[in-house]
Amino acid sequence: MSDSGTLTKTGLVDLSGVNKHFGELHVLKDINLSIAKGEVVVVIGPSGSGKSTLCRAINRLEPIDTGEIRLDGEPLPSEGKSLARLRADVGMVFQSFNLFAHKTILQNVTLGPLKVRKTDPKQAEKRALELLERVGVANQASKYPAQLSGGQQQRVAIARALAMDPKVILFDEPTSALDPEMIQEVLEVMIDLAKQGMTMVVVTHEMGFARTAANRVVFMADGEIVEQADPETFFTNPTSRRAQDFLGKILKH
Ligand SMILES: Nc1ncnc2c1ncn2[C@@H]1O[C@H](COP(=O)(O)OP(=O)(O)O)[C@@H](O)[C@H]1O
Ligand SMILES: [Mg+2]
């Protein structure tokens, strides 16, 4: 550790003093968060608390007003080729699967590596098939997204993110649009990734996932990080009133 008295930044993803407004609405309030390589951080909190905005800020889908976000020590680029590379380094899996409807499953997975990483087409295809195998949908490779179930599509979205060899993957409520019977198959892929050391930020209310896979739970409310702890501590002994109220509501369901 540095003893120079200056702030030492050590995370793979570092947010310091991040603020973001939408007009008058202050949606990220002085966010300080450092995510280590290989760490799995689950972000929970009421609707509208800024969880999606936080994710979107980390891959610069949303610019921030003040503060700084660093990936691997480098400030996020704002434009051009380096922004495209950032988007590849920071994988994103959304609630709505966001696959290209007019491309096959295989093409959905090879597109990024071909365009952004300039991977050799044969190599990109080989890797895509391996990844589709890994998430259990290799036999669907030549189909189109609409021919797959929601759970299968979401697993393809994960394979697509992995195809870029991302440094971190952000998951924004990846199972909340799925029918209940498909949630587990997606969570299992995510648990597997976590075990293999992928750095992950996961917005989810799936407490089972948080308990199994998270190193840390971050609770947000009203644009602030109100509380954070390891899952066991957070779920059994939340210290803030807002976290207690929130857990009381979601755990009743
Ligand atoms: N593009 C936008 N323009 C204006 N307000 C937005 C926009 N995106 C989100 N908001 C508002 O910002 C707040 C935080 O939203 P969001 O990050 O989506 O919260 P969460 O994901 O925790 O539900 C909400 O009040 C939301 O209505
Ligand atoms: Mg959201």
Side-chain angles (χ1 to χ4, degrees), residues 2 7 14 22 65 67 88 133 168 179 201 213-214 217 250 252:
S2 159
L7 235 180
D14 273 304
F22 285 117
D65 301 336
E133 182 76 48
V168 51
D179 292 335
V201 176
V217 176
I250 60 166
K252 259 185 231 139

Side-chain angles (χ1 to χ4, degrees), residues 12 21 36 46-48 58 95 125 133 137 150 177 179 184 192 205 210 212 217 225:
L12 178 64
H21 293 75
S47 176
I58 295 174
Q95 177 178 332
E125 189 163 311
E133 182 76 48
V137 290
D179 292 335
Q184 205 52 37
D192 229 44
H205 294 162
T212 310
V217 176
I225 295 179

